[in-house]
Amino acid sequence: MSAPTLRRPPRVGWRAATGDAVLVARRRGAQDAGLLTLAAVVLAVAVLIALAVPRLVQEMADEGVRQSIVDAGPGADVVAVLPRGPGSSSAGLADPVRVDDAAVLAANAARDMGTVLPPEVQAVTAPAVYSVRSQDVSATIRPGDGGDTIVLGTRLVHVGTTWRTDDPVVRWVAGAEPAPTASAPLEVTSLVQVGVSAPAAARHGLVVGQRLDLSGTLPQGVQVEISGLYEPLDPASPVWSQYPDLLDETPAPAAAVAVGRVAMLLSDESLPDMLLAVQQTRGVTTTYRFPADPTHLTAPDVGALAEAVSQVVLVPTPLTGTDGTPPAIQTELDTVLRIAQERMVAASAQTSVLLVGLGVVGALALVLAARLLVVRRETFLVAERARGASIASVAVRSLVETVPLVVAAAAVGAAGAWLIAPDGRGTWVVAAIIVVVAALAPAVAACVVVAGAWTGRRQPANRADRERALRRRGARRVTAELTLVAIAAAALVSVRSRGLLQTATGDVDLLLAATPVLLAAAATVLLARILPPTLRAMSRGASRRRGLVPVIATARASLTSGTRVPLLTLTISVALVVFCGTTADTVQQGQETAADIVVGADVRVDGPVDPADVVRLRDLPGVTSAAAATALGDRTFGQESGTKARLLLVDAAELATILEAHDRPVDPGLATLGTGEGIPVLISASLRRTAELVQPAVMGASRFVDLDVVGATEHPPNLPRDPRALPSAPADGTIVADRDTFLAGAGIEAPITTLWVDGPGALAAVREAGLADSPGLMVTERSDWLETWRASSLNAGLLLLLIATGVVLAGYAALALVLTVVATSRERGRTLSALRTLGMDGRTGRAMTFGELAPLALSAVFTGTAIGIAVPWLLTGALGLDLLTGDPAATGLVVTWVPIAGASAVVLVALVVAVMVESAVRRRDRLGEVLRVGER
């Protein structure tokens, strides 16, 4: 016998589907004004976040790129160098000729170069400054009172600008500007008038009219006459960036006999005399410097700019002057830009994960709000369907009600985003998806309810056929869930293999950025499968014991926990809260580690340090250790091996003490490198194979010096490369040796290039020793470096974004739990109402409500916590955290209890508050109304 067939509702036209839609929507909206207002607020906040976050990150990236160029200093300038003076050709001249307009020629050449630079480079560089200088020579000062002769390192330099050539760059405080000394165009003079900075003149008693003999690469008999003493009008001008010795005395190289370096300034009139005096030696260099000016640089321009700079460095032909010789281009701008671009990539990767997570959780919260709205109207919707309303009419009435509200809320969110970040950049995709979900979710939920109430479908009368149909539906559901799990696994594998960026476009792949969300969704699917049978088993166990609360709570929890959307919302929210907290703490701890690695001690001094100052520092109060170091560059490891190694010379025992004080790993054998016989060294693992094949050795003063390999270095000290060294291929490995032992065994001298000073009084000791004010030395304090790094716009902004995202997601989690409590209150209310008529008190009712919802909340917390910890652990390399921490090594994951405890506390408090509020509402019901359970 076949089952009775339900009669289909009569078909109605479009007019019937839309009839009275506005009136019905207005009345329903008035009845549920509070819930609709809540949904509108959630939508406005979600749209604001989806639009504002990418814009804020873009602004942070812009500021970060500009700051990186500013921090690079003169190294980011584009410098063109010609190995000759203005007016001379590459082929040379048979007879010396005085070029009276040499300064004008140099200024014109600088302007011409500026016009042929690529437009991308012109946009980020200021007008050129130029200089013409001689080679380094020595100036002999012979005191008139018969004192000791003093030798200064010096060079003759002319500097100028292209923006206004008639503006002076110095103020003459004594004497006058240098004047020409040659009286005829072809007269070769041996006297050149120069100016000396007032501070340098005061140091050595130099006076106007004094003559100094020059020696070195210049012709015999060349002298300079001091015509005046000057002070710079703007010491920060890029004119002086390459010539600090024009402003004051700078230290001379450690092995030099000179007591210091003092450059001498040439005027436009005395420049031709210098060129004529040194013309035979070709010891003149002309430099055209284009100072970096990133004022208007934006993050999207970085890639094209880096490519343009690299092209200029590789092919400087367009900058060729009239003599046909292209200049050599020197700049670190392309390197700085590529590092900044890598940091922006890391920031985009993290932001994309947060943005997708916020968008998904916001959309799910709106779905929960729509579900609650439909649950409240379910009786009316089913009644409409029973009276002949079509599914289309139900959808139309729902859309008429929600679309205007969605448009208004989205407009408010977009306006708020514009006020926060008035920038048209960023993506609208996430915001658009949220708006579409908000507009369609109530209509779809209403259609599902009415379609399920009156389907008009025939049901088989045979039980086996019904079970077969049920199995088919179950198979389709399992297939969909397995597909989701497979997509999550594929996304995880893809992210770990190639990162979050598309190699073709350089943009973030939103599908891959959704990996944490997909993993949380896959975990939710598995949890929704496991939790109901587990709770049913617990309910059966509770039924064998005394007490009503465990039985009813676990029985109802098995039904509530199977709801996918609330469980998914809670799980994703908790997972991303833990992810944000874990990532933020990992970044902060990584920055602490980076400060220890980069600075190396409480204070670091870079530059030529006098060994006597190192000895003095060790005896000053507040200093526990002071370790000097020298980087000798890449050298052949073993005779004719072809293997290059970077040789690092350190005060081994002192360095080991500093590393131990900062809880840094110390290579075994480092502290004893200075106590063995021969030259004991530590080598990196990459050199181990070479050391087994050939005798370890490096070049000493005149021959190879054998090395005694006593261990491996896995954590070599971080030393800067010599900026004067020519670019070369990276070394194959690293050699670490005790400084004094190696220098004595190799018979060479090498200046100290880095000094680590550790202890509570390290900075005060460095200042007392005069190193903080010494020209040519750069003093870096660990706390200052860490504060500066953390305060940079990109780092500070991303850390703030992580914290703010965690707070917003915690709010979403609380909202999702409250909406779930309210949405399930009707069915729970029927059960509690029936039990109340049997004498159940309010405390027992609250315990049942809490017991029903606690498994849902706890399972979401546990699963979300596991996902929140696993995601940063699995995606650490893809997120590029080391580029944000500044850690030269890979940043390790740091797990703390703070985000876990915070997420758990938010969920627990939201659950308790929701239960108490529902209990308070139930308490107001009168017993006579409670007895009418069937009408509730």
Side-chain angles (χ1 to χ4, degrees):
M1 180 178 179
S2 61
T5 302
L6 296 177
R7 179 176 298 177
R8 293 178 179 270
R11 292 188 177 182
V12 293
W14 178 250
R15 182 175 179 181
T18 58
D20 292 332
V22 176
L23 178 61
V24 173
R26 181 170 58 83
R27 290 179 177 176
R28 287 180 177 174
Q31 292 175 353
D32 297 315
L35 183 57
L36 291 175
T37 302
L38 175 62
V41 171
V42 173
L43 175 59
V45 171
V47 170
L48 184 149
I49 293 173
L51 293 178
V53 168
R55 297 174 184 177
L56 291 175
V57 173
Q58 287 283 351
E59 292 180 359
M60 290 189 299
D62 294 344
E63 184 61 29
V65 170
R66 296 168 189 152
Q67 189 61 44
S68 63
I69 296 178
V70 172
D71 293 341
D77 298 346
V78 179
V79 182
V81 181
L82 286 172
R84 59 184 179 277
S88 60
S89 65
S90 58
L93 295 172
D95 298 319
V97 176
R98 191 174 193 276
V99 183
D100 292 319
D101 57 349
V104 176
L105 293 176
N108 292 338
R111 292 193 190 93
D112 294 340
M113 284 187 181
T115 59
V116 297
L117 283 174
E120 297 88 352
V121 180
Q122 293 186 40
V124 296
T125 52
V129 297
Y130 62 91
S131 64
V132 183
R133 67 173 179 86
S134 70
Q135 289 185 350
D136 294 344
V137 294
S138 299
T140 304
I141 303 176
R142 296 181 174 86
D145 57 359
D148 295 336
T149 299
I150 299 175
V151 177
L152 287 177
T154 189
R155 49 186 173 178
L156 309 183
V157 183
H158 171 74
V159 296
T161 62
T162 56
W163 49 87
R164 290 191 63 181
T165 56
D166 55 344
D167 282 352
V169 295
V170 297
R171 176 177 58 253
W172 297 96
V173 297
E177 184 179 13
T181 57
S183 57
L186 297 180
E187 180 181 352
V188 177
T189 179
S190 59
L191 181 65
V192 180
Q193 285 197 356
V194 298
V196 177
S197 67
R203 290 177 186 271
H204 298 287
L206 301 177
V207 296
V208 175
Q210 185 175 358
R211 293 190 177 186
L212 306 176
D213 295 327
L214 301 184
S215 59
T217 59
L218 299 180
Q220 294 292 330
V222 176
Q223 290 183 321
V224 293
E225 181 181 13
I226 301 176
S227 66
L229 308 180
Y230 64 85
E231 293 178 348
L233 293 176
D234 181 13
S237 171
V239 171
W240 315 107
S241 60
Q242 193 177 1
Y243 303 104
D245 47 352
L246 280 176
L247 303 179
D248 198 355
E249 182 185 29
T250 59
V257 296
V259 297
R261 289 174 54 90
V262 177
M264 300 181 181
L265 184 66
L266 300 169
S267 66
D268 291 353
E269 288 75 18
S270 64
L271 173 61
D273 291 337
M274 186 275 288
L275 295 175
L276 196 61
V278 304
Q279 189 169 350
Q280 295 88 341
T281 65
R282 300 294 183 191
V284 179
T285 301
T286 305
T287 302
Y288 305 95
R289 177 177 294 271
F290 298 87
D293 181 14
T295 304
H296 303 291
L297 180 63
T298 60
D301 301 332
V302 169
L305 176 59
E307 193 68 28
V309 173
S310 300
Q311 186 66 21
V312 170
V313 173
L314 294 175
V315 186
T317 306
L319 304 181
T320 302
T322 56
D323 61 350
T325 302
I329 305 299
Q330 301 174 354
T331 183
E332 297 177 6
L333 182 57
D334 53 343
T335 303
V336 171
L337 290 173
R338 298 195 187 282
I339 294 175
Q341 191 173 27
E342 290 177 355
R343 296 190 64 214
M344 288 190 301
V345 166
S348 298
Q350 293 192 36
T351 305
S352 64
V353 172
L354 301 180
L355 183 61
V356 172
L358 286 168
V360 170
V361 175
L364 290 174
L366 292 170
V367 171
L368 285 176
R371 175 174 171 265
L372 175 58
L373 183 66
V374 172
V375 167
R376 291 168 61 90
R377 299 174 177 177
E378 183 175 359
T379 303
F380 303 103
L381 294 174
V382 173
E384 286 181 9
R385 179 62 170 161
R387 292 169 185 152
S390 65
I391 296 178
S393 65
V394 173
V396 168
R397 280 190 286 271
S398 180
L399 291 174
V400 169
E401 177 185 1
T402 57
V403 169
L405 187 64
V406 166
V407 172
V412 171
W418 184 262
L419 291 176
I420 294 174
D423 194 335
R425 294 177 295 172
T427 177
W428 289 75
V429 175
V430 177
I433 293 175
I434 294 174
V435 171
V436 171
V437 170
L440 297 181
V444 172
C447 291
V448 170
V449 168
V450 298
W454 295 89
T455 60
R457 295 177 181 175
R458 295 182 177 183
Q459 294 292 337
N462 188 293
R463 178 185 299 177
D465 293 338
R466 290 198 303 270
E467 291 178 352
R468 190 179 300 110
L470 184 62
R471 285 196 298 270
R472 283 197 297 267
R473 289 195 297 270
R476 288 194 292 267
R477 184 174 181 177
V478 170
T479 301
E481 293 173 350
L482 291 177
T483 301
L484 176 61
V485 173
I487 293 175
L492 176 62
V493 172
S494 181
V495 168
R496 285 180 58 83
S497 62
R498 68 180 183 91
L500 286 172
L501 289 191
Q502 296 176 346
T503 55
T505 63
D507 295 329
V508 175
D509 189 335
L510 291 180
L511 178 61
L512 299 183
T515 300
V517 174
L518 292 173
L519 291 176
T524 302
V525 167
L526 298 177
L527 184 62
R529 286 283 182 179
I530 296 173
L531 195 55
T534 303
L535 290 173
R536 286 194 293 268
M538 294 174 61
S539 179
R540 289 192 297 269
S543 65
R544 302 187 185 97
R545 300 181 181 180
R546 298 181 62 183
L548 184 64
V549 173
V551 177
I552 298 179
T554 53
R556 288 200 52 80
S558 63
L559 300 175
T560 305
S561 60
T563 306
R564 262 59 170 182
V565 176
L567 188 59
L568 178 61
T569 307
L570 277 175
T571 302
I572 295 177
S573 299
V574 173
L576 291 180
V577 167
V578 176
F579 168 81
C580 291
T582 302
T583 304
D585 199 69
T586 298
V587 169
Q588 286 189 310
Q589 293 296 327
Q591 290 170 347
E592 291 278 354
T593 303
D596 289 334
I597 295 176
V598 174
V599 181
D602 290 327
V603 177
R604 171 173 169 161
V605 182
D606 291 309
V609 180
D610 192 337
D613 290 331
V614 179
V615 176
R616 180 186 174 193
L617 278 171
R618 290 171 179 164
D619 297 330
L620 291 177
V623 176
T624 58
S625 300
T630 301
L632 290 186
D634 298 342
R635 299 198 170 195
T636 302
F637 180 63
Q639 298 187 39
E640 300 180 356
S641 68
T643 302
K644 294 292 184 179
R646 192 179 185 213
L647 182 57
L648 305 181
L649 308 181
V650 298
D651 291 341
E654 294 284 339
L655 179 59
T657 302
I658 294 175
L659 294 176
E660 291 175 355
H662 289 266
D663 295 327
R664 293 276 315 287
V666 181
D667 292 325
L670 176 64
T672 58
L673 283 181
T675 59
E677 300 203 0
I679 305 179
V681 297
L682 304 178
I683 62 174
S684 58
S686 58
L687 298 178
R688 177 66 62 181
R689 180 60 178 169
T690 304
E692 295 173 354
L693 297 176
V694 300
Q695 170 62 40
V698 294
M699 178 60 70
S702 57
R703 60 181 179 82
F704 273 87
V705 179
D706 292 338
L707 305 177
D708 181 17
V709 178
V710 297
T713 175
E714 297 180 359
H715 309 281
N718 182 40
L719 289 176
R721 290 184 176 270
D722 187 354
R724 297 168 298 178
L726 295 176
S728 61
D732 299 308
T734 303
I735 305 172
V736 179
D738 182 75
R739 186 174 181 278
D740 293 338
T741 302
F742 181 85
L743 294 180
I748 61 175
E749 294 184 0
I752 296 173
T753 58
T754 299
L755 173 64
W756 294 289
V757 185
D758 204 52
L763 183 60
V766 168
R767 290 173 177 171
E768 183 179 345
L771 300 182
D773 300 324
S774 297
L777 295 182
M778 183 176 66
V779 177
T780 305
E781 188 182 5
R782 179 188 180 278
S783 59
D784 286 346
W785 184 93
L786 182 59
E787 182 179 354
T788 302
W789 182 259
R790 285 179 172 175
S792 65
S793 60
L794 200 58
N795 292 337
L798 281 175
L799 184 61
L800 180 61
L801 179 60
L802 285 169
I803 296 174
T805 301
V807 173
V808 173
L809 288 168
Y812 275 140
L815 176 63
L817 190 56
V818 170
L819 291 175
T820 302
V821 172
V822 177
T824 58
S825 63
R826 173 175 295 183
E827 292 295 331
R828 185 168 51 253
R830 290 172 179 161
T831 303
L832 296 179
S833 296
L835 294 174
R836 184 180 173 187
T837 61
L838 298 176
M840 184 189 69
D841 59 357
R843 181 178 180 181
T844 305
R846 289 191 294 272
M848 286 184 180
T849 303
F850 187 85
E852 174 186 342
L853 297 170
L856 174 69
L858 292 178
S859 58
V861 168
F862 289 140
T863 306
T865 298
I867 295 297
I869 295 175
V871 166
W873 177 66
L874 293 172
L875 304 184
T876 298
L879 293 174
L881 296 181
D882 53 326
L883 297 173
L884 301 177
T885 61
D887 191 346
T891 300
L893 179 67
V894 177
V895 180
T896 60
W897 59 270
V898 176
I900 301 173
S904 303
V906 168
V907 173
L908 179 61
V909 170
L911 179 58
V912 171
V913 170
V915 170
M916 297 301 292
V917 171
E918 181 179 327
S919 177
V921 173
R922 294 289 178 191
R923 193 181 300 117
R924 298 192 186 100
D925 294 341
R926 292 179 296 178
L927 185 58
E929 294 179 352
V930 171
L931 292 173
R932 302 171 60 193
V933 176
E935 297 182 10
R936 293 184 64 84

